[in-house]
Amino acid sequence: MATGERPPLHTGLIIATLLTLLALLILAVPLAREVIRELNGDRWVWGILATGALVRLLLPGRLVEMGIGYQLTRLAEELILPRYGAGTTTLHHLIFQVFGVDHDVMLATHRVIGCLTLPLATACASRLVSRWQITPGPWFVPMWAAALAWTPALVRSDVTESNLVPVLLGLWVGLFGWMSLSGWRRPMATVAGLLLAGLSRPEMAAVAPA
């Protein structure tokens, strides 16, 4: 359970999260460039993803567990780690320094992360198909994009306090970075993505590498 004290392990996890977020910030432009290149010219896919992002931006945000949601806001403000890990809490703490401490800011952060995950996950699926030399047909990537953009469970998750939202971003960054980037950026993206997932949900430390 979280307390007002910060043991050395928690300090180490916070520092690891800060370094992870810095790495992801450095890699943002190369990753975005590769996503655009992978989905280049597919107006149907971009249109589908745009509608998915619009739904996430317009749908009212909500706290699934109101008591836990307010508690997570307080913990992020004071940078006290809950049992879920350091990743999401540290990210929220940094966002709060810019936009103020409020659960609505946390929900808005998850909206943005959800919108960013859409093209990343779609480009990742497209790259996987090419890499494995699979030819499911021209409908596959648009259908995948539609599933990500419009599946109700995914849409609802992206407008809540669920810490799975940054976890999914981290997993897709790790996988897409490994397949698309080169040189030092490739291992950096893979490690940073998997670290974000593992630091946000401790069980991901075992699941993500698989």
Side-chain angles (χ1 to χ4, degrees):
M1 297 295 291
T3 66
E5 301 178 357
R6 184 176 299 150
L9 175 60
H10 286 194
T11 301
L13 292 173
I14 291 170
I15 293 173
T17 302
L18 291 173
L19 293 175
T20 298
L21 294 174
L22 177 60
L24 293 175
L25 188 62
I26 293 172
L27 293 165
V29 172
L31 284 169
R33 188 183 300 120
E34 290 300 322
V35 168
I36 293 171
R37 181 178 301 157
E38 185 65 31
L39 302 178
N40 182 37
D42 200 331
R43 294 182 179 179
W44 276 105
V45 170
W46 283 112
I48 292 169
L49 296 178
T51 61
L54 187 62
V55 168
R56 284 160 173 78
L57 294 175
L58 295 180
L59 197 66
R62 65 191 183 92
L63 296 175
V64 177
E65 295 288 346
M66 189 165 294
I68 294 178
Y70 286 122
Q71 182 187 43
L72 291 176
T73 302
R74 180 184 63 80
L75 294 176
E77 177 186 10
E78 301 175 8
L79 201 50
I80 300 173
L81 303 191
R83 63 180 182 274
Y84 305 111
T88 305
T89 302
T90 305
L91 172 63
H92 290 160
H93 179 79
L94 294 175
I95 297 296
F96 287 167
Q97 305 311 302
V98 179
F99 298 102
V101 180
D102 195 292
H103 67 278
D104 286 331
V105 174
M106 178 174 63
L107 296 177
T109 301
H110 285 202
R111 293 174 190 271
V112 173
I113 293 175
C115 291
L116 293 175
T117 302
L118 288 176
L120 179 65
T122 303
C124 192
S126 177
R127 183 61 59 91
L128 274 173
V129 169
S130 302
R131 189 182 183 91
W132 292 345
Q133 298 182 339
I134 302 173
T135 54
W139 52 267
F140 174 76
V141 175
M143 288 294 291
W144 176 262
L148 292 172
W150 300 333
T151 297
L154 296 177
V155 175
R156 287 197 297 267
S157 175
D158 287 343
V159 297
T160 70
E161 77 278 15
S162 172
N163 60 358
L164 290 176
V165 177
V167 166
L168 291 176
L169 176 67
L171 291 176
W172 288 117
V173 165
L175 182 56
F176 187 70
W178 178 258
M179 293 189 298
S180 304
L181 299 180
S182 59
W184 57 269
R185 292 185 180 90
R186 185 186 189 194
M188 185 176 180
T190 303
V191 172
L194 296 184
L195 272 176
L196 178 62
L199 289 166
S200 299
R201 294 283 298 193
E203 66 269 25
M204 288 296 130
V207 175

